Amino acid sequence: APGGGGVPDRVMSLIKRHSRSLNLSVQQRCLDFLALSRHPETMSRALPPDASCEDITVDPSLPLLDALAREHVARGGSPYLPPGRR
């Protein structure tokens, strides 16, 4: 019988084991997955089974962060410097 949200038991066992990983990135991804698995409808929207075949358009300028960056600089923070200028 599948585990949380239709996830196969073997997958859930693996996710639960790695949710205690010493690698914090792995641990966080597993904990996120476990949280999503408790909400199958949200999980299916966030991780649709056929999403691996979708093309993703990325805007490298990330305009959605402009307001946040301006606010940071206005509060005395340093402006962003690309890796080559650091």
Side-chain angles (χ1 to χ4, degrees), residues 22-43:
L22 294 178
N23 180 318
L24 295 181
S25 180
V26 170
Q27 185 184 91
Q28 184 63 54
R29 290 170 196 261
C30 290
L31 292 171
D32 291 345
F33 186 89
L34 288 171
L36 271 175
S37 72
R38 289 190 284 274
H39 304 278
E41 186 177 319
T42 302
M43 185 173 187

Side-chain angles (χ1 to χ4, degrees), residues 15 30 43 47 80:
I15 294 290
C30 290
M43 185 173 187
L47 304 170
Y80 172 76

Side-chain angles (χ1 to χ4, degrees), residues 7-65:
V7 178
D9 289 337
R10 185 171 179 198
V11 172
M12 287 302 284
S13 175
L14 183 70
I15 294 290
K16 287 177 183 178
R17 179 165 33 111
H18 288 290
S19 70
R20 296 181 300 276
S21 172
L22 294 178
N23 180 318
L24 295 181
S25 180
V26 170
Q27 185 184 91
Q28 184 63 54
R29 290 170 196 261
C30 290
L31 292 171
D32 291 345
F33 186 89
L34 288 171
L36 271 175
S37 72
R38 289 190 284 274
H39 304 278
E41 186 177 319
T42 302
M43 185 173 187
S44 67
R45 284 190 305 225
L47 304 170
D50 60 349
S52 64
C53 299
E54 292 180 13
D55 288 333
I56 298 173
T57 303
V58 176
D59 182 349
S61 68
L62 295 172
L64 65 129
L65 298 177

